[in-house]
Amino acid sequence: MSENCIFCKIANKEIKIDLVLETEDLVAFKDINAQAPFHILVIPKKHYETLNDIKNPELLGKLFEGVQNVVKKLNIEDGYRTVINTGKKAGQEVFHLHIHILAGRPFTWPPG
Ligand code: AMP
Ligand code: ZN
């Protein structure tokens, strides 16, 4: 638990969220400022600031397994985008590792 980390508070159930899926290691919930009809965040319960800070391939695998289970549950397996913003330059605002899952509208490439 990192002091004043909003996603640690979510993992600790101190902040109310719209839960999609939970396991021993992760929580998946709806983004409060959805950028698509489906916008889910998958976070590890344990605090890692960025993708660079997690040295645990097993947990990384579990997070992506979480993504697979979320898209199955929401029936969006046929088209979704996953995003991990790493660092301020890439648009990261919450420094607790999270995977965005976006779906339900067309997406352009290259991303903005
Ligand atoms: P990023 O810019 O990659 O750090 O994304 C942070 C995301 O967290 C943004 O899409 C926010 O809308 C989302 N977010 C921040 N606070 C909350 C919250 N309390 N519940 C759900 N989503 C949140
Ligand atoms: Zn945290």
Side-chain angles (χ1 to χ4, degrees), residues 38-53:
F38 294 87
H39 188 170
I40 315 302
L41 301 174
V42 178
I43 66 165
K45 287 185 173 174
K46 206 171 160 219
H47 183 86
Y48 299 93
E49 275 194 17
T50 77
L51 182 59
N52 298 332
D53 301 302

Side-chain angles (χ1 to χ4, degrees), residues 7 29-33 41 85 91-94 98 100:
F7 286 0
F29 54 95
K30 291 189 185 166
D31 195 296
I32 206 168
N33 184 21
L41 301 174
N85 295 322
Q92 186 173 4
E93 286 178 357
V94 176
H98 51 281
H100 294 260

